[in-house]
Amino acid sequence: MAADAAHLIVFANEKGGSGKSTTAVHVAVALAAAGRRVAAIDLDTRQRTLARYMENRAATARRQAVDLPMPVAETFDPDKGHHINDRIDALAADAEIVVIDTPGRDDVHARAAIERADTLVTPINDSFIDLDLIGQVDPETYKIRRPSFYAELVWDARKVRAKADGGTVDWVVLRNRLQHVEARNMRRVAAALGELSKRVGFRVIPGLSERVIYRELFPKGLTLLDLAAIGEPGIAHIAARQELREMVSALSLPDWPMKRAANG
């Protein structure tokens, strides 16, 4: 990646319900709130969760006459005859960071985006059901038997990226925490992830907790960084906001610590 090129963050997971779009929205807004020029593209033309979130956000800003940090956002429509790489290039021309939210299924456009990622974020819930996406686990020992199809897909994408421009993909597995998962199972998942990360080559960082407030914020398009617009934030909102800030910091994006310090 050239020094002046936009940094591409791709959120991808072929299993639904992992918090992928919610995390993508919060990261995009957090970066915009920190003064970065952010563009976002939603590749899921059916669900359009990221795009609808941003539409709700723009409507709230107009309705309440408040200034909310807003990434430039669009939905990719393959029926218009555009290639995904052309749309990424168009957004990257005026942005420092491009956030790409992919559908929760195998998709040719998502694969193309992964091949261009600088940071690939795969959110998973803290369970063996989600872990099975990237690694098969022995039912007796809970040891990793072998990487799964998605890990192989990422491996192939990394080879394509290296061949194309010599770049590398920082693969980050984001552990979102489920409230109903018992502690022993969480430790087993953590151990299996640690073993798999060494074999496949990804980083593991803590994600977001399963909180009702994330779902409640969607209709207004607000995030945990918009506490002033929420009205009467509680302790849960403040705790979740800190959790979000720590997660974004753990992504280790270019210049983020410096920007974060400068913006408090």
Side-chain angles (χ1 to χ4, degrees):
M1 185 185 71
D4 58 348
H7 188 91
L8 270 58
I9 310 174
V10 178
F11 287 82
N13 183 329
E14 292 184 10
K15 180 184 177 299
S18 64
K20 175 175 56 60
S21 296
T22 298
T23 308
V25 167
H26 275 75
V27 168
V29 171
L31 293 169
R36 310 299 286 271
R37 298 193 315 278
V38 181
I41 182 167
D42 192 337
L43 300 191
D44 193 337
T45 56
R46 289 185 290 183
Q47 295 290 335
R48 297 185 65 250
T49 303
L50 181 145
R52 289 190 295 120
Y53 210 119
M54 293 302 178
E55 290 167 0
N56 294 344
R57 185 173 181 80
T60 294
R62 292 192 299 269
R63 185 173 60 253
Q64 297 186 7
V66 294
D67 185 19
L68 297 175
M70 282 291 301
V72 174
E74 68 172 56
T75 302
F76 175 68
D77 187 356
D79 292 337
K80 291 183 178 179
H82 297 145
H83 192 281
I84 181 58
N85 284 330
D86 293 335
R87 293 313 307 152
I88 292 174
D89 289 340
L91 290 171
D94 297 313
E96 295 175 82
I97 296 173
V98 178
V99 174
I100 304 173
D101 187 26
T102 64
R105 61 181 182 275
D106 188 18
D107 178 271
V108 62
H109 307 296
R111 290 194 180 207
I114 292 172
E115 290 172 0
R116 293 192 56 178
D118 297 299
T119 301
L120 172 63
V121 182
T122 301
I124 67 169
N125 291 322
D126 225 353
S127 71
F128 283 108
I129 294 176
D130 278 34
L131 178 60
D132 188 66
L133 176 79
I134 52 178
Q136 296 181 18
V137 178
D138 186 284
E140 300 295 334
T141 65
Y142 295 98
K143 297 289 185 180
I144 294 293
R145 283 179 168 174
R146 59 183 177 272
S148 294
F149 69 95
Y150 187 74
E152 295 173 354
L153 182 153
V154 174
W155 176 257
D156 290 339
R158 282 170 149 170
K159 289 191 292 185
V160 171
R161 173 65 190 276
K163 185 177 180 180
D165 62 6
T168 59
V169 180
D170 180 20
W171 186 13
V172 179
V173 172
L174 194 73
R175 287 182 66 192
N176 288 328
R177 294 181 291 282
L178 297 175
Q179 293 176 347
H180 63 270
V181 176
E182 52 96 9
R184 184 174 61 176
N185 193 67
M186 290 176 65
R187 289 194 297 271
R188 286 172 173 168
V189 170
L193 272 173
E195 177 187 346
L196 187 60
S197 68
K198 297 173 184 176
R199 293 174 59 177
V200 178
F202 57 76
R203 295 191 292 122
V204 182
I205 68 171
L208 306 176
S209 297
E210 185 182 40
R211 298 178 187 269
V212 175
I213 55 177
Y214 289 110
R215 295 186 286 274
E216 292 177 340
L217 293 174
F218 173 80
K220 293 184 177 181
L222 296 177
T223 72
L224 292 165
L225 300 173
D226 307 309
L227 293 188
I230 289 175
E232 297 183 1
I235 295 176
H237 291 88
I238 296 171
R241 181 180 63 179
Q242 181 60 29
E243 180 180 71
L244 169 65
R245 286 174 169 169
E246 292 173 357
M247 181 199 74
V248 176
S249 180
L251 289 175
S252 300
L253 301 175
D255 298 329
W256 176 249
M258 180 177 63
K259 293 285 185 179
R260 185 169 183 245
N263 288 277

